[in-house]
């Protein structure tokens, strides 16, 4: 249901930004790469080394800012971003959506790892 709503809102946003579709797609691309980079850095080793959690979160934030600034500078220089309002709204929406999707992915991975650990413990107990 939620994924259908996200897809519907994304499609409507893309259709409504018809003349400024390049700005819309630039917002989507930059937001996806920025959030993905920040997420990858922030949660890379946090479960193995909890002492590094704050450092990794700060590195993720700085990476997200660096990707965003670089992407916006490239988009303006290449004349891809021709509507700053469309770009800003697209960037905001897709930052929230991609953050939500990465959180759901992480939740799924943690649940799968938990099931695998329980199965492994059960095998050791029965052996």
């Amino acid at each position: 249901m939620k994924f259908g709503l996200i897809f519907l809102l994304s499609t409507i946003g893309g259709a409504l930004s018809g003349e400024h579709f390049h700005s819309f797609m630039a917002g989507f691309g930059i937001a996806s790469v920025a959030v993905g980079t920040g997420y990858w850095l922030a949660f890379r080793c946090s479960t193995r080394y909890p002492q590094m959690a704050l450092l990794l979160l700060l590195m993720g934030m700085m990476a997200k800012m660096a990707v965003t600034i670089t992407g916006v500078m490239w988009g303006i220089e290449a004349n891809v971003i021709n509507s700053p309002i469309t770009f800003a709204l697209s960037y905001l929406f897709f930052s929230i959506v991609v953050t939500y999707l990465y959180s759901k992915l992480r939740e799924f991975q943690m649940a799968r790892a938990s099931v695998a650990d329980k199965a492994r413990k059960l095998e050791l107990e029965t052996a």
Side-chain angles (χ1 to χ4, degrees), residues 8-119:
L8 178 68
L9 288 175
S10 301
T11 305
I12 290 171
L16 290 176
S17 65
E19 286 186 26
H20 307 291
F21 191 70
H22 291 96
S23 296
F24 179 80
M25 289 308 292
F28 166 69
I30 293 171
S32 298
V33 171
V35 171
T37 304
Y39 187 87
W40 185 80
L41 277 172
F43 295 107
R44 195 75 210 140
C45 302
S46 61
T47 56
R48 281 186 268 165
Y49 305 107
Q51 303 88 343
M52 294 180 57
L54 182 61
L55 175 67
L56 290 170
L57 284 172
L58 290 174
M59 285 178 56
M61 181 188 70
M62 296 304 287
K64 182 179 181 208
M65 287 175 46
V67 168
T68 301
I69 291 169
T70 305
V72 170
M73 287 174 47
W74 168 81
I76 290 174
E77 184 178 320
N79 289 328
V80 174
I81 301 174
N82 51 10
S83 173
I85 296 296
T86 302
F87 171 78
L89 290 174
S90 172
Y91 182 85
L92 174 67
F93 174 74
F94 285 113
S95 289
I96 294 168
V97 166
V98 172
T99 301
Y100 170 76
L101 292 176
Y102 272 120
S103 297
K104 286 296 179 185
L105 175 67
R106 177 88 170 157
E107 183 180 313
F108 175 73
Q109 289 173 340
M110 295 296 282
R112 194 173 71 188
S114 175
V115 168
D117 286 342
K118 287 179 184 177

